[in-house]
Amino acid sequence: MNRILPDELISKIIDCNESIADVAMCRLVCKHWNCLAEPLMFGKQIVIRSEADALSLYGHLCRNPGYGKLVRRICFKESDIACALQEHLLHYIFTPNMEEMRGKLSFGYKFFRTIRMMANSSIAKFDKLRVIPHPPYFSNDYDDALVTFKDTLREMVLVFDAEHNRPGMGISNYMMDFKSLTKLTLNGDLGSLFLMEETLQHFSALQELTLNLHLTDNIHEKTFVETWAVPTVNTVSSVKKVTFKKYCRSDQLEYIRFKYPNIDTLIIDANKIPLMVGRSNIKRIVKAMAKVPTHNIKLLIEEANLTDTIGYLLGEGCQFSVKEADYDRFKIEMESSP
């Protein structure tokens, strides 16, 4: 086949494979295909699932440093990668060709300082970078890195904790400048709905929002949410999909439905922590989600509240399933019809 097909065509055929594993299989055909396929592997999404994966990639790049500039997409599935190894990898792979760096890095504070330094010292602009990894906890270094790439980022995770209920000073003055941002995730602990609005008010072109937030104040009555939201909250018509992870409160959902009136997909994946039942929480959640065309709801209910919850859902005509989660908790799932 090599005598019939030119190298350019063979390379295009190999490159049609989406995964690194498939390209690696092509390397086994013969020595010639191995030479053609090896550099193409680095143009696929590279997934780091363990520190061994990171070391393997580092070894390849030590032998062929030029392949580093071919890396465009990398995802860190393993968060606990030694800082020294992170830094060594960055010096090979973090070039202006980089498009996506995904995942979560537990020891990433030096990582964020390094990518800022490399971008600021580079003659060529890092104008293709759409997303960077995030830390599990609040980090000023991470916030500063977000600001560095604010002109190109399309996806971003903001991390809060009990001591940092607002974005850090390094990023707060630049919130309006993330013009390309379409996907935003809020992680961590936040004091109230009002603080959530303080952050979200700056992003007027979002298309997708994910909330992995634990609000530490009490659930507000619906009348209070409406009285506060109507004169205060600016609505955004571009958001089409909202996802709640771990936690979902009725006042939070009511606020989100008011702020983003054109949501067509709602996902609530709150089946790890029992749902609060105070202030008619479950009833208000069901009413708030009622007009969303596509929804997928997973809730965890304690056994003591199960009978009342099922009775209410039946009364509202909801279609749902109930599964036992453990000895005193049950999962309730509701999904819109196809």
Side-chain angles (χ1 to χ4, degrees):
M1 183 181 293
N2 293 348
R3 296 176 181 176
I4 301 174
L5 299 178
D7 288 353
E8 293 80 2
L9 183 55
I10 296 174
S11 294
K12 286 184 178 181
I13 294 172
I14 296 173
D15 203 30
C16 286
N17 294 287
E18 288 297 322
S19 72
I20 287 183
D22 290 338
V23 176
M25 291 294 292
C26 293
R27 295 179 63 189
L28 302 178
V29 172
C30 63
K31 289 182 178 180
H32 187 64
W33 275 47
N34 177 54
C35 293
L36 295 175
E38 185 178 25
L40 296 176
M41 293 175 60
F42 293 89
K44 306 300 179 182
Q45 184 183 51
I46 298 173
V47 180
I48 304 297
R49 293 185 174 85
S50 65
E51 193 159 79
D53 285 348
L55 284 168
S56 176
L57 175 60
Y58 178 62
H60 277 290
L61 295 172
C62 284
R63 291 189 294 272
N64 298 282
Y67 288 167
K69 67 178 183 296
L70 302 178
V71 178
R72 295 180 290 112
R73 294 174 295 157
I74 188 166
C75 179
F76 294 95
K77 293 285 189 179
E78 170 56 58
S79 60
D80 297 335
I81 297 174
C83 294
L85 181 53
Q86 292 177 19
E87 189 170 5
H88 287 314
L89 274 178
L90 281 175
H91 283 293
Y92 283 116
I93 68 173
F94 193 61
T95 73
N97 294 328
M98 183 63 72
E99 297 175 4
E100 297 179 3
M101 302 178 75
R102 298 183 179 276
K104 182 169 67 175
L105 292 173
S106 295
F107 307 111
Y109 307 114
K110 193 170 183 179
F111 178 99
F112 302 120
R113 288 196 296 268
T114 300
I115 62 174
R116 284 185 63 221
M117 177 194 69
M118 293 178 70
N120 291 333
S121 62
S122 173
I123 297 175
K125 292 184 177 181
F126 283 72
D127 55 4
K128 299 177 183 177
L129 191 61
R130 299 191 292 258
V131 58
I132 64 174
H134 65 275
Y137 307 110
F138 176 85
S139 163
N140 281 314
D141 291 316
Y142 170 65
D143 283 0
D144 290 342
L146 292 176
V147 173
T148 299
F149 305 105
K150 66 184 186 304
D151 294 331
T152 62
L153 290 181
R154 297 183 188 177
E155 302 177 38
M156 180 168 71
V157 177
L158 289 178
V159 184
F160 304 90
D161 62 27
E163 296 182 2
H164 301 90
N165 272 306
R166 290 178 173 85
M169 292 301 294
I171 193 175
S172 59
N173 294 330
Y174 296 93
M175 292 288 217
M176 302 279 293
D177 296 334
F178 288 83
K179 303 297 185 182
S180 301
L181 198 70
T182 59
K183 294 183 180 181
L184 176 65
T185 298
L186 304 184
N187 280 358
D189 295 327
L190 202 58
S192 67
L193 285 178
F194 320 119
L195 293 174
M196 183 158 51
E197 171 60 14
E198 276 189 23
T199 297
L200 292 178
Q201 66 180 332
H202 299 291
F203 304 105
S204 58
L206 288 181
Q207 297 176 13
E208 185 174 334
L209 174 67
T210 298
L211 298 171
N212 188 5
L213 281 178
H214 174 224
L215 297 183
T216 57
D217 63 340
N218 295 322
I219 298 176
H220 299 288
E221 296 283 1
K222 183 177 181 180
T223 53
F224 177 88
V225 176
E226 293 172 343
T227 302
W228 162 70
V230 171
T232 306
V233 177
N234 292 323
T235 61
V236 176
S237 61
S238 57
V239 173
K240 303 300 182 183
K241 181 179 180 180
V242 174
T243 301
F244 289 81
K245 291 185 176 180
K246 289 187 181 179
Y247 311 95
C248 182
R249 290 178 16 171
S250 54
D251 55 349
Q252 187 183 24
L253 181 55
E254 288 161 353
Y255 154 68
I256 289 296
R257 291 288 287 119
F258 178 85
K259 185 170 183 66
Y260 306 115
N262 294 332
I263 297 172
D264 58 29
T265 301
L266 175 65
I267 298 173
I268 301 177
D269 189 1
N271 63 356
K272 302 297 183 183
I273 299 173
L275 189 73
M276 291 181 287
V277 296
R279 303 208 176 206
S280 303
N281 199 35
I282 181 67
K283 296 180 181 180
R284 291 166 62 188
I285 287 176
V286 171
K287 288 185 179 298
M289 75 181 201
K291 295 182 180 180
V292 179
T294 303
H295 60 262
N296 188 322
I297 314 298
K298 298 177 182 178
L299 305 172
L300 189 64
I301 305 294
E302 292 182 337
E303 185 175 15
N305 304 313
L306 185 62
T307 300
D308 289 342
T309 299
I310 290 177
Y312 172 73
L313 294 177
L314 290 172
E316 290 294 310
C318 298
Q319 294 184 344
F320 62 94
S321 63
V322 181
K323 299 178 182 178
E324 187 173 4
D326 50 40
Y327 70 97
D328 63 350
R329 298 188 298 185
F330 293 80
K331 291 182 180 181
I332 291 182
E333 297 187 13
M334 293 174 277
E335 188 170 3
S336 55
S337 301

